Structures are given as structure tokens and as C-alpha cells.
Amino acid sequence: MHRQVLLLAFAQALFQTATVLVMTVGSLAGAQLAIAPELATAPIAAMFLGTAIGIVPASMWMARVGRRVGFVAGTIAGVAGGLVAATGIAVGSLLLLCLGTCLVGIYQSFAQFYRFAASEVADDRFRPRAISLVLAGGIMAAVAGPALGRLGGPWLQPAYSGSFLILAAVCLVGAGLLMGLRVPPRPATVSSEPARPLSVIMRQPDYLVALFGAVTGSGVMILAMTATPLAMVHHHHGLDQASLVIQLHVLGMFLPSLFTGSLVARFGALQVMGAGIALLVGQVLMTLSGTSFYSFAGALVLLGLGWNFLYVAGTSLLTRTYSTAEKAKAQAANDLIVYMVGLAASLCAGILHLGWQTMNLFLLPWLGLAAAAVLWLALRGSSLPPPDTVTTRAAGGGAFVTPFNNRAMSTSTLTPCVACVRHASLVAFARAHMDLHLCSRYIYACV
């Protein structure tokens, strides 16, 4: 189990390295091939288009052929993408470059499920840590992605063709690594409630706010991150400085994953989402301090932190809005919309000639709407629980209803937990279940 989780963590690191490499040099490579400045970010937009196209078919196909076959196929698409993109740069074709990055996006659509595979190979006690370890693979990508992009930039001529050859090599290593993956088949489950239509799931206030939070975090992050290398070059910063800023940004994206889950458990998803929006507002204000290296670096670190808070807290809120039978379509709809917005944001980064500071100021109304949505749900109150609800009888004979949020827990498991709460061993209870939100619900049930 530990070996499989470690393997997935390294696979995540390699996947994120490839993605960050494209984000670092994609717009710079596009700028030297584009016939108009507006098309400079087209290679990055093509990557997000590939992810949006591939994420639903990838999930459905892996349900039939298994995780290992799907993940290896995804890495092969990444290898092909790196080779096609390098060829496009060599022959001076922006279209081929975009086709290559689109294939890298297909790779990304498969890699989105690494964290779910980690939950499938881990047992109940290790599962939360397994998911965290896989997501922490992005920390390695923060260092390796920009560094490899910078290394490959002048390596071959035309510039940046070497960067995409390195990307192909990284994906090839990932393919070899994933050949050793062993994911046990998932046991069939029987739901006590029929699955609701997707339209009903998506109309829930909690789902809408979680989705809007994810769209805001990803859209703002992609728009600003895509424009950063171009803006830094425009303001006379070199590739070395631009790649260092991207490194700091990606560290800001993934380092907080080591503790953001604990913040959500302690303070609640909406509070952490609000903090994420505040960090993104801070990023916008930081851009007003000027166009020095430190202004870019400070803004991009805040951008990464804000994205992380919105992503983790929004995902936590989203997972409470659907039952087990509804999970696949609810998650696919969320991810598809997020990546479609990411596609639009990456295109806008090249099309909007507003200047670095003006472009960021235009993000404030978007962030204001997101803050209003979070505040509205906090004042309105949650519409949960979802359909997965279990009625249990406590030791004292009184019946109470406990919403399990897609978790199954038997009466034999529940009884010691209630006893634990009654004996005021709150810390022991929380550590045993790794979920302070459920803990608070059991306390309420006992009262």
C-alpha cells in the first residue's frame, strides 16, 4: 500500500512538472511563432482544451480498463505531445505547437485521477494521508518544471524546442513508473437512494457556491499565471527571473496542502474559501506596487496561496453535495466547467492588451462576486445533508439521523464514537476519524 502511494506521488510530481513547464515557456514559444500578439498564449489554451475534452472520456474509459492502463496511456499522450510541440517549434508552426500542448492536456486529464487512485489503494486509516502525499508531489514540480523549461530554452535552436523534448522525456519516465501500479478492483456498492439527475445536483446552493469557488480560483490563477512570463519579459526581466517567479508561485499552490485540510476541518469550508478570496484580492493589490521582480514574486505567491485555499475548501464543500451513486457525474461536471473557464482565461491573457496592472484590477469584480456568493451561503445556511443519510439508534435508545456525506459507517463503528464523545475525549475522537466536521455532527447528535 505504501509503495503504491509513493509511486503515485512521484507520478504526480512528474505530471505537474510537465504542466508547469508548459506554463513557464508555452506563451514565450507561442510569441515567437504567432503572427499576432493575441495568439501568444494559444499553446497554453490548447493544453486546457485538451484537458477539458479528455477528462470525461478518461474517467469512463478507466472505469472499464482500470487505472494502470489509463494512466500509462495518458503518459504516452504526454510523450507524443512533447515531440509534436518540439517539431512545431522546429518547423515554425504554431498549429503543431498547439496540437502538442493539447496532447499534454490529454495527459493532464488522466493525471487528475491520481489522487483518487491513492484513495483506492490505501486503507481507511492511511487514506487521508495518502491523498495529501500525492498532492504534495506538486512541491517537486515547483522546482523542476521551471528549471527544466529554463534549461531547455537555449539548449537547441529554435529556442524552447529543447524544453519540449525534455517534457517528452519526463512523460516517458512517468510511463515506466506507472507500469508498476497495482490498484485493487473497487467493490461494488449498493446505494439505498436512487441517483438524482445532474440538473438537480447542480441546483443545490452548496454545489453552486463550491463550483463558483473552484472556477474563481482556477480562472484567476490561470489568467494571471499565463500572463506573467509575457509581462515580465515586457518589463525587461529575463527568462531566469520569470521561471523563478513561477517556481515560487507553484510552491505557493502546493505547500499549503500539508495543512489546508486541517484548516477546513477546524474553521469550515466557507471560512477557508473566504480567506482564499482575500488572498487573491491581496495578489491584485500587490501588482499595484510596481513591476519589479519582488512585485511579481509577491503577487504570484499570494496567487498560489489563494488558489490552494479555494481549491481545497471548495472540493471539501463539493464532496458533501452528492451521494456515492452520483459521484462520477457530479465530479465530471465540476471539472469540465473548471477547465473550460481555464481555457477561456488562458486565451484572454493574450487577447486582452490591458497591461499587467490593469488586467489584474479587472479581476476585482469577479472576486467580489465570489465573496458575495460565499457570504450568501453562510448567511442562508447549508442545504445539506445529501441523500446518503443513515438513521442510527444510540446506546441510550434514542434515535437520531446522521448525514454521512458519502461515507458508510456501521452501528458497531458508531457506538464507540458516541461513547468517546460522551466521555469528553474529543481530541482522541478527532484523531481517530481525521474529520472534525463529522465530530461536530456527532456531538450535536448526542446533545
Side-chain angles (χ1 to χ4, degrees):
M1 175 182 67
H2 294 87
R3 184 182 300 114
Q4 299 302 304
V5 171
L6 186 62
L7 186 152
L8 285 166
F10 277 110
Q12 175 81 6
L14 293 171
F15 144 64
Q16 291 288 358
T17 296
T19 301
V20 173
L21 189 153
V22 174
M23 296 296 292
T24 303
V25 303
S27 59
L28 298 176
Q32 70 183 16
L33 299 179
I35 58 175
E38 293 83 358
L39 298 177
T41 60
I44 296 177
M47 182 176 70
F48 287 103
L49 176 62
T51 305
I53 291 172
I55 198 161
V56 175
S59 179
M60 296 174 64
W61 187 53
M62 283 192 291
R64 297 202 311 268
V65 302
R67 294 294 194 197
R68 182 176 64 167
V69 173
F71 289 162
V72 172
T75 58
I76 298 302
V79 173
L83 295 176
V84 171
T87 302
I89 295 174
V91 301
S93 171
L94 180 64
L95 182 61
L96 271 181
L97 173 59
C98 291
L99 177 60
T101 56
C102 184
L103 288 171
V104 176
I106 298 292
Y107 171 32
Q108 182 170 249
S109 69
F110 281 91
Q112 294 299 313
F113 296 93
Y114 288 169
R115 66 189 190 276
F116 296 115
S119 71
E120 293 163 13
V121 301
D123 59 25
D124 291 340
R125 292 184 61 186
F126 188 57
R127 185 168 293 120
R129 190 175 179 189
I131 296 172
S132 297
L133 286 172
V134 171
L135 290 177
I139 298 172
M140 172 181 162
V143 177
L148 292 176
R150 181 175 66 247
L151 174 67
W155 182 35
L156 296 174
Q157 292 300 321
Y160 308 114
S161 56
S163 300
F164 285 95
L165 289 177
I166 291 174
L167 184 149
V170 169
C171 296
L172 191 60
V173 173
L177 190 67
L178 287 165
M179 289 296 292
L181 181 65
R182 298 291 184 272
V183 179
R186 301 177 67 180
T189 57
V190 179
S191 176
S192 59
E193 295 285 344
R196 297 168 294 173
L198 181 60
S199 59
V200 174
I201 299 171
M202 295 184 68
R203 284 201 300 267
Q204 297 175 99
D206 302 80
Y207 188 100
L208 291 173
V209 171
L211 174 60
F212 193 50
V215 164
T216 299
S218 296
V220 169
M221 186 271 293
I222 292 167
L223 182 62
M225 184 181 180
T226 303
T228 295
L230 290 173
M232 292 191 69
V233 170
H234 176 74
H235 290 287
H236 312 293
H237 297 285
L239 177 60
D240 289 350
Q241 290 178 307
S243 62
L244 178 57
V245 166
I246 297 298
Q247 283 180 323
L248 295 173
H249 166 67
V250 180
L251 283 173
M253 289 175 62
F254 292 106
L255 268 178
S257 297
L258 301 175
F259 60 82
T260 314
S262 300
L263 293 177
V264 173
R266 181 173 182 180
F267 298 106
L270 293 178
Q271 286 82 352
V272 176
M273 289 177 70
I277 294 169
L279 287 167
L280 292 178
V281 171
Q283 175 262 330
V284 173
L285 298 178
M286 186 68 185
T287 63
L288 301 180
S289 65
T291 56
S292 68
F293 170 81
Y294 296 103
S295 294
F296 279 107
L300 268 290
V301 168
L302 290 173
L303 180 67
L305 291 171
W307 173 85
N308 182 276
F309 277 45
L310 276 173
Y311 178 78
V312 174
T315 300
S316 175
L317 180 62
L318 186 81
T319 57
R320 296 164 50 202
T321 62
Y322 50 77
S323 67
T324 303
E326 300 161 349
K327 176 176 64 175
K329 58 187 177 184
Q331 290 177 348
N334 176 79
D335 287 355
L336 180 61
I337 293 171
V338 167
Y339 278 100
M340 290 302 293
V341 172
L343 167 63
S346 58
L347 282 173
C348 288
I351 294 173
L352 298 176
H353 297 289
L354 301 174
W356 171 245
Q357 293 167 330
T358 305
M359 185 198 74
N360 280 279
L361 283 174
F362 269 82
L363 297 174
L364 289 177
W366 188 353
L367 295 172
L369 286 175
V374 170
L375 180 61
W376 169 76
L377 184 60
L379 295 175
R380 178 188 185 276
S382 175
S383 60
L384 300 175
D388 284 356
T389 302
V390 180
T391 303
T392 314
R393 189 164 299 276
F400 57 90
V401 177
T402 306
F404 284 93
N405 302 324
N406 310 318
R407 302 180 183 206
M409 186 175 289
S410 65
T411 305
S412 61
T413 306
L414 176 63
T415 303
C417 298
V418 175
C420 184
V421 174
R422 285 177 174 171
H423 286 90
S425 299
L426 181 59
V427 174
F429 176 87
R431 287 177 177 172
H433 292 281
M434 303 289 287
D435 196 329
L436 290 175
H437 179 74
L438 278 178
C439 182
S440 65
R441 291 191 175 207
Y442 280 114
I443 295 171
Y444 176 79
C446 287
V447 172

